[in-house]
Amino acid sequence: MTAALTVINTPNIDPLTLPFEQLKAGYQRQLFPSEDERRDRLNRLLKMLKAHRAELAAAIDQDWSGRAPTETDILEVFPAIEAIKHNRKHLHRWMKPRKQGVSIWFKPGKAWIQPQPLGVVGIVSPWNYPLFLTLAAVAGAFAAGNRVMVKPSEFTGRFGEVLAAAVAAHFAPDELVVINGGVETSQAFCALPFDHLLYTGSTAVGKAVMRAAAENLTPVTLELGGKSPVIIGTDSSLVLAAERIVSTKLMNAGQICVTADYVLLPVGSEEKFVNEAKRVARARYPNWPQDFSALATPRQRERIAAVIADAESKGAQLIKLIDAEDTATHFVPRIVLHATDDMRVMQEEIFGPLLPVLSYRALVDAIAYVNARPRPLALYYFGYHRQDIDKVLHETHSGGVTLNDCLLHVGQEALPFGGIGPSGMGHYHGEFGFNTFSKLKPIFHQSRYNGAPLLYPPFGGRVRAMLKFMLG
Ligand code: NAD
């Protein structure tokens, strides 16, 4: 295979234009890849991932100054493999023309939708799940028959280098290319005239990405963040809820876009929840910080330290879930009690191991609290009463929901993944990704004999009689 196109130092040629043009030319040479050709790309993606899995996980571990490779295997490699396999399994059905009904007026004509590759898709991914958020998106774009250009985060530089080398070893530069670089490179990347751009990252940068894409009228899918609430219902087991909320919250040290950001529980149950949370944290991490992820970047560490100081200075009570001291890279998980709206911990997405716990008197109050804030990427409800579940599902907005656990809706390849409002726009994963990365081209096939000429001018008695019939 041809050499890596990580950075191209050709004088006078913009380092992004050449790889982009190569991808575009590749697309133009093969406008509608066959099922076998798409399957071959998915197979090579899988082979590449399996061959470089340990190296990629080690690179993330180094980039972060601490992310257990086993956690990378569970939360990145496994779902990426599942995503590739799911695309491969359903490719045949998704690619087929989709027959649609026609109304009586257009019969015996026929209508169908023909999914068609868009061309060159750009994918910009963040540092928190650099592997999964890149490769699952590539799988969807490949299944739909596209060429792909990827820009990983500058905060996971080693990972980006390993990925670029792995990609160059398994793909031609007119199929898939990795571009590494900082914010300026990312800005130039987003200004390229892609046929579709998928961006995963913060809401603030998402706005800049959409502005850049607007110049080319490039359609965007924005996978952003937000404060995802957990509501614990009055009929829920607090022990079970704490077990699942705290176990998932502490994965990746809370640096998960869909992790529980804050908990709303029935008034009076705070103390029991805190005790359970301590029990769970200690059981998960008996030798903390072993198996616990670092805060991945200096910016993250400074931000979380400032959020803690801000909450403490404004009267919140921070309770450590593990008896230990913060290190330079690893922060002890904390429950935050008495958090108020003037604290940063309630104003911004936490994206770290802090969990504010608030109480409510009636479910309507918890729902009103959620609805008074920007629409989140995820919402979790613990409880079993059908009426309460329906009330929460019908009366709150969020990108997605897991009931009686956290995170797991994201792992369902059959479900669309994406935010709403400030937490994102558009969807991918599974068939929804295939559709996002395809033009769903509507086609009407007129029959040799049909009724349309009955309405052609001149508008005489024939047309009037026909119209009388049509308009009822
Ligand atoms: P980040 O800083 O790594 O940025 C993400 C990407 O944006 C990087 O590739 C970076 O190079 C690029 N970028 C930065 N500035 C840019 C600019 N001005 N123009 C164009 N591109 C630019 O990651 P982050 O933003 O710190 O990521 C964390 C956020 O991402 C959180 O809010 C989290 O909730 C969200 N997130 C969302 C999802 C999801 O699937 N919805 C998944 C993971 C993370």
Side-chain angles (χ1 to χ4, degrees):
M1 289 287 162
T2 335
L5 279 171
T6 310
V7 175
I8 294 176
N9 291 319
T10 315
N12 305 325
I13 297 185
D14 159 10
L16 299 185
T17 302
L18 180 60
F20 179 75
E21 291 300 333
Q22 278 179 311
L23 289 164
K24 220 166 109 178
Y27 161 68
Q28 276 157 358
R29 273 193 299 276
Q30 191 190 40
L31 294 165
F32 196 90
S34 68
E35 186 184 330
D36 282 348
E37 284 158 341
R38 299 183 199 197
R39 197 175 292 283
D40 169 56
R41 287 192 189 126
L42 290 169
N43 283 337
R44 276 185 282 142
L45 196 63
L46 192 58
K47 199 171 153 200
M48 178 194 90
L49 175 54
K50 288 186 174 172
H52 298 274
R53 169 189 144 201
E55 215 186 332
L56 290 163
I60 299 173
D61 188 17
Q62 269 186 35
D63 280 328
W64 282 45
S65 307
R67 202 249 234 138
T70 308
E71 183 147 330
T72 299
D73 273 349
I74 297 169
L75 294 178
E76 299 222 61
V77 177
F78 170 69
I81 287 177
E82 285 288 291
I84 298 168
K85 287 184 175 170
H86 185 83
N87 275 280
R88 206 174 53 177
K89 181 172 172 195
H90 296 284
L91 187 57
H92 179 75
R93 180 171 61 81
W94 297 343
M95 280 180 70
K96 281 211 285 210
R98 304 171 191 179
K99 196 172 169 220
Q100 304 294 307
V102 293
S103 88
I104 186 160
W105 308 111
F106 298 97
K107 282 183 177 168
K110 291 189 172 63
W112 69 91
I113 292 169
Q114 175 65 66
Q116 188 175 12
L118 293 172
V120 182
V121 170
I123 292 168
V124 183
S125 55
W127 50 265
N128 71 320
Y129 279 102
L131 189 156
F132 172 61
L133 294 173
T134 306
L135 297 189
V138 172
F142 269 173
N146 300 285
R147 311 286 167 144
V148 188
M149 195 156 157
V150 166
K151 163 66 184 72
S153 173
E154 58 276 16
F155 291 111
T156 40
R158 284 188 192 82
F159 165 81
E161 292 301 328
V162 173
L163 182 69
V167 162
H170 290 80
F171 293 93
D174 67 355
E175 290 180 301
L176 174 63
V177 171
V178 176
I179 301 291
N180 284 310
V183 171
E184 278 180 17
T185 303
S186 205
Q187 285 168 324
F189 186 98
C190 294
L192 290 169
F194 288 112
D195 297 296
H196 194 93
L197 183 58
L198 173 85
Y199 168 80
T200 305
S202 66
T203 301
V205 173
K207 292 179 189 173
V209 168
M210 196 168 170
R211 269 196 295 273
E215 278 302 312
N216 301 307
L217 289 179
T218 292
V220 288
T221 300
L222 299 178
E223 299 289 346
L224 310 176
K227 291 183 81 62
S228 299
V230 184
I231 304 175
I232 302 181
T234 47
D235 63 326
S236 168
S237 151
L238 217 54
V239 175
L240 180 138
E243 174 86 24
R244 296 179 183 176
I245 295 166
V246 174
S247 297
T248 54
K249 172 78 186 183
L250 301 192
M251 289 173 184
N252 223 25
Q255 299 162 111
I256 304 184
C257 57
V258 284
T259 202
D261 190 277
Y262 62 93
V263 175
L264 289 159
L265 46 63
V267 68
S269 34
E270 298 90 326
E271 193 182 331
K272 185 167 181 200
F273 184 85
V274 170
N275 290 336
E276 285 303 320
K278 283 184 183 168
R279 180 188 61 75
V280 175
R282 287 163 195 179
R284 293 290 90 85
Y285 303 98
N287 303 312
W288 190 91
Q290 190 184 317
D291 293 337
F292 192 79
S293 292
L295 290 181
T297 66
R299 189 177 72 175
Q300 271 287 86
R301 293 164 205 150
E302 281 159 27
R303 192 179 59 79
I304 292 295
V307 169
I308 291 172
D310 174 75
E312 277 173 341
S313 73
K314 290 174 181 159
Q317 184 188 357
L318 279 87
I319 302 167
K320 283 185 175 172
L321 295 183
I322 286 168
D323 293 323
E325 294 304 317
D326 297 334
T327 72
T329 49
H330 291 69
F331 278 54
V332 177
R334 293 158 165 89
I335 294 276
V336 184
L337 294 180
H338 314 302
T340 50
D341 282 350
D342 62 336
M343 298 175 188
R344 285 182 64 181
V345 76
M346 293 316 296
Q347 289 169 347
E348 46 190 86
E349 179 182 357
I350 295 172
F351 221 55
L354 311 176
L355 185 64
V357 172
L358 312 171
S359 62
Y360 69 86
R361 288 196 181 278
L363 187 57
V364 285
D365 300 328
I367 290 173
Y369 186 91
V370 170
N371 287 342
R373 286 159 178 79
R375 292 173 170 179
L377 184 57
L379 182 142
Y380 303 108
Y381 180 75
F382 284 78
Y384 298 95
H385 286 151
R386 193 67 241 179
Q387 272 183 336
D388 290 345
I389 291 175
D390 284 346
K391 193 167 176 61
V392 170
L393 293 181
H394 295 165
E395 297 184 10
T396 61
H397 263 301
S398 60
V401 172
T402 294
L403 298 170
N404 292 311
D405 211 328
C406 297
L407 314 183
L408 295 179
H409 62 285
V410 183
Q412 313 310 311
E413 279 294 317
L415 294 179
F417 177 63
I420 175 167
S423 58
M425 65 172 67
H427 297 105
Y428 74 125
H429 285 196
E431 188 168 6
F432 298 91
F434 181 91
N435 289 345
T436 289
F437 297 126
S438 298
K439 164 64 184 168
L440 298 180
K441 189 154 74 181
I443 298 161
F444 181 75
H445 187 161
Q446 181 63 295
S447 67
R448 186 186 297 260
Y449 303 106
N450 63 79
L454 296 175
L455 292 174
Y456 289 168
F459 297 137
R462 168 183 42 85
V463 172
R464 277 196 297 278
M466 192 61 200
L467 263 183
K468 196 172 165 198
F469 181 49
M470 285 170 74
L471 302 178

